Amino acid sequence: MTGEPAWPLHPPPKEIETLRQYVQSLARLYGVTFESFCYHALKIAHADEEARSFTQPTEDVLERLAVGLGIPIDELRGFEARRRRNVARLYAELEAWIATPEGRQRYEWAFPPKS
Amino acid sequence: MDHLRPEARRIAEKPAIERLDCFATDRWIGYSRAQDALKRMDMLLATQPGRVRPQNMLVVGPSNNGKSTIAEKFQRQHPRRSSEERDRHIFPVLSVQMMPDVTAPRFYAQLLDALGSPLGNIRKTDRRNALTLNLMRACGVRLLVIDELHNLLCGPSSRQREILGLIRYLGNELRIPIVALGTKDAWLALRLDDQLENRFQPFLLSMWGDDAETGRLLASFETVIPLRGRSGLGLPALRKVIVERSEGLIGEMHQLLSSAAAHALTEGRERIEREDLLGCPFQAPSYRRQMMERELRA
C-alpha cells in the first residue's frame, strides 16, 4: 500500500529506529502521549502493552500505519530487518573510519586507551 | 458550435441520449461578483497572515446563490501540497462547514478531520484544542474558511457565544484571516460578538435581477451547456423567464437550465426555448417551500 499519506505529519523513519521508537516519535510530533497515539491512531487498546511493543505488529496496525504514513506495508513488515541492516552498515562505516589515521586519532581522542 | 467552450463542444458532438446526464455536472461560471470575492480572498491570504489582528471576510447571500461554489473554487486554487521535506502536508487554505449541532469539541474535531489528523476523536477538550493549534501551525494553514456560518444560530445563545469566541481565538492565536460564508443569519450571528463583527468585512452576493449583468452570466452558462444550437439565454426574452423561474438564485438557474437542456433534447431540439424553460420538471424554490408546508400541515 503506497500513495499520499493520509495523516498530515508523516516524517520518514530514522535509519536505526525500531518501529516502536518511530511510533513514539510520531506521538511526540503530534503532541500526545504514546499510549494515546496508539489508542486513537492505531486502535490499540490501552491495556494492550504487548501490541505497544511493536515486536509483532498485527496486519491491522501495519495497515493503519501504511495508509497514514504513505509507507508501503511491506516496508513496515521489514522494519526490523531494515534497522538491523542499517545498524550493521553504520558499524561497518564506523570501523572503516576508525581504520583511517584521522579516524584513529579522533577515536582515541574521544575514547583514550586505558594505560 | 463556436458558441461553446472546447470541452462542451466535444460533448456536444455525442448523440443526444449520451448527453442527457451531462447537464447536471457542477461547473464554475466565473461571473464578475464571484471573481471579486475570490480576489478579496486572495488579498486576505496574501496580506493578513501573521498580523496581530488579521482582517476577516463574511460572504453573505441567500441560500443556493453560489457561496459554497466560491469557497470550493478558492480551495481548489490553493490546494493541499506536500512540504519540501515531504514530511508534512501544507494547507494554505483549510475549509470546514459549521454544523447545526456544533460544540467547541466538535468544531475542533472538524478542524482535525479536515487536516486528516488521526487524532480527531481524542476526548479531552483542552488537549484537542492544543493539538488543533499545533497541527494548524505545523501544516502552514494561512486562511480558514468556515461555510454555513448561519448554522451557528441553531444552538442556544451560550453556545453561539462560545463558538464565536473560539473563532476569534483561532484567528488571534494563529494570526490568520478567516473567511466565513452564510445567509444573512450569519451576519446576525457575528453581531453577537462585537469584536468579531468589526473584523469581518461583509461581501454581499445579491440575488440576480433581469438586467445586463444577469445576461452576461447566462451567456457564460450557455458556453458550457453542450447543445449544438445557440439559445440566446442572455437575451431579454429568455433572461426574463429564467430570472423569474429561478427567483434570482444562481444555484436554481443552474438546475433550471440543466433541466431545460435535457427537456429540449428529449423534444429533439438542440437549443433551449421558452417552452423548455416553462415545461421542464424544474420546481421553483418558493413552489417547493409551499409544497413542503402543505405536506407538513396535512
Side-chain angles (χ1 to χ4, degrees):
Chain A
M1 174 88 54
T2 48
E4 278 278 284
W7 296 342
L9 308 180
H10 41 263
K14 294 190 177 73
E15 283 185 310
I16 56 169
E17 264 178 340
T18 62
L19 189 54
R20 178 183 159 91
Q21 286 167 335
Y22 182 39
V23 176
Q24 282 173 327
S25 76
L26 290 173
R28 278 195 298 277
L29 195 60
Y30 277 93
V32 294
T33 62
F34 176 54
E35 287 75 13
S36 187
F37 188 86
C38 290
Y39 178 71
H40 291 286
L42 304 175
K43 310 293 174 220
I44 295 175
H46 285 300
D48 196 347
E49 282 184 29
E50 172 66 28
R52 280 199 299 276
S53 72
F54 288 92
T55 46
Q56 286 182 310
T58 62
E59 281 298 298
D60 190 41
V61 165
L62 290 176
E63 178 78 23
R64 285 178 202 282
L65 282 168
V67 172
L69 298 162
I71 297 177
I73 197 160
D74 282 339
E75 257 181 51
L76 291 169
R77 282 197 196 102
F79 208 91
E80 185 53 29
R82 165 192 166 276
R83 189 186 81 87
R84 274 196 235 111
R85 274 198 308 276
N86 285 337
V87 169
R89 180 176 53 75
L90 286 171
Y91 266 118
E93 284 174 12
L94 181 67
E95 281 175 5
W97 178 70
I98 292 170
T100 64
E102 188 207 352
R104 186 82 229 158
Q105 195 182 7
R106 297 281 293 277
Y107 181 81
E108 285 180 355
W109 175 79
F111 305 102
K114 286 176 187 165
S115 52
Chain B
M1 291 195 284
D2 57 355
H3 65 290
L4 294 177
R5 288 189 199 169
E7 192 193 336
R9 207 176 301 155
R10 275 195 298 278
I11 299 171
E13 284 164 2
K14 293 181 181 176
I17 188 82
E18 288 181 32
R19 277 180 283 155
L20 285 172
D21 289 339
C22 301
F23 298 118
T25 314
D26 286 335
R27 299 177 190 88
W28 168 252
I29 302 291
Y31 57 97
S32 58
R33 196 69 182 142
Q35 302 288 13
D36 289 347
L38 288 171
K39 270 186 212 156
R40 273 184 62 179
M41 288 156 85
D42 270 328
M43 191 271 292
L44 290 180
L45 181 62
T47 62
Q48 297 302 306
R51 294 209 173 179
V52 179
R53 293 283 179 270
Q55 274 297 320
N56 304 317
M57 176 177 171
L58 174 66
V59 181
V60 190
S63 179
N64 211 0
N65 205 24
K67 298 181 296 298
S68 300
T69 311
I70 291 173
E72 283 162 18
K73 174 75 173 174
F74 187 64
Q75 179 74 73
R76 282 199 301 276
Q77 288 176 337
H78 304 282
R80 186 188 84 180
R81 61 173 196 273
S82 197
S83 67
E84 279 181 26
E85 300 81 11
R86 306 197 65 75
D87 62 349
R88 65 194 60 207
H89 293 316
I90 301 291
F91 292 78
V93 173
L94 185 69
S95 297
V96 291
Q97 202 175 91
M98 185 64 74
M99 292 184 298
D101 54 351
V102 68
T103 58
R106 281 188 197 147
F107 191 66
Y108 280 123
Q110 262 193 298
L111 291 168
L112 289 172
D113 280 346
L115 287 163
S117 165
L119 304 165
N121 53 354
I122 205 160
R123 281 212 196 94
K124 286 184 181 165
T125 305
D126 53 344
R127 198 175 292 171
R128 207 183 300 200
N129 168 356
L131 183 63
T132 309
L133 289 177
N134 285 344
L135 264 189
M136 286 177 78
R137 279 196 192 98
C139 294
V141 176
R142 289 170 58 82
L143 186 145
L144 176 63
V145 174
I146 306 174
D147 198 2
E148 311 281 0
L149 185 72
H150 49 264
N151 280 341
L152 191 58
L153 289 184
C154 297
S157 58
S158 58
R159 193 182 294 163
Q160 292 169 20
R161 272 191 287 276
E162 182 191 15
I163 300 298
L164 288 171
L166 192 158
I167 291 172
R168 178 154 44 84
Y169 170 73
L170 283 175
N172 289 346
E173 192 66 20
L174 297 167
R175 299 192 174 184
I176 58 169
I178 296 168
V179 173
L181 303 100
T183 62
K184 64 179 189 307
D185 287 345
W187 181 68
L188 292 176
L190 280 180
R191 290 184 65 184
L192 291 170
D193 186 308
D194 291 344
Q195 293 180 52
L196 268 187
E197 187 195 359
N198 294 333
R199 299 228 314 263
F200 273 86
Q201 291 184 356
F203 184 97
L204 295 175
L205 283 179
S206 309
M207 294 216 268
W208 295 80
D210 182 13
D211 53 29
E213 172 73 9
T214 307
R216 284 192 288 277
L217 172 75
L218 293 172
S220 299
F221 264 119
E222 192 165 343
T223 64
V224 297
I225 298 174
L227 292 177
R228 293 170 191 167
R230 197 185 293 270
S231 306
L233 298 177
L235 299 176
L238 292 188
R239 187 180 75 201
K240 185 171 188 300
V241 181
I242 294 167
V243 170
E244 278 176 8
R245 288 220 73 196
S246 66
E247 297 174 359
L249 299 169
I250 193 169
E252 302 292 339
M253 283 181 199
H254 178 238
Q255 284 176 33
L256 169 62
L257 293 175
S258 302
S259 182
H263 187 269
L265 274 189
T266 52
E267 296 289 317
R269 282 191 292 275
E270 282 289 345
R271 63 172 53 82
I272 295 173
E273 293 182 1
R274 183 184 160 84
E275 60 199 88
D276 297 310
L277 293 167
L278 296 173
C280 70
F282 171 83
Q283 292 175 337
S286 58
Y287 177 79
R288 294 198 301 263
R289 251 193 317 274
Q290 277 171 16
M291 293 298 289
M292 201 61 214
E293 280 165 11
R294 201 177 302 162
E295 277 295 311
L296 289 173
R297 275 200 301 270

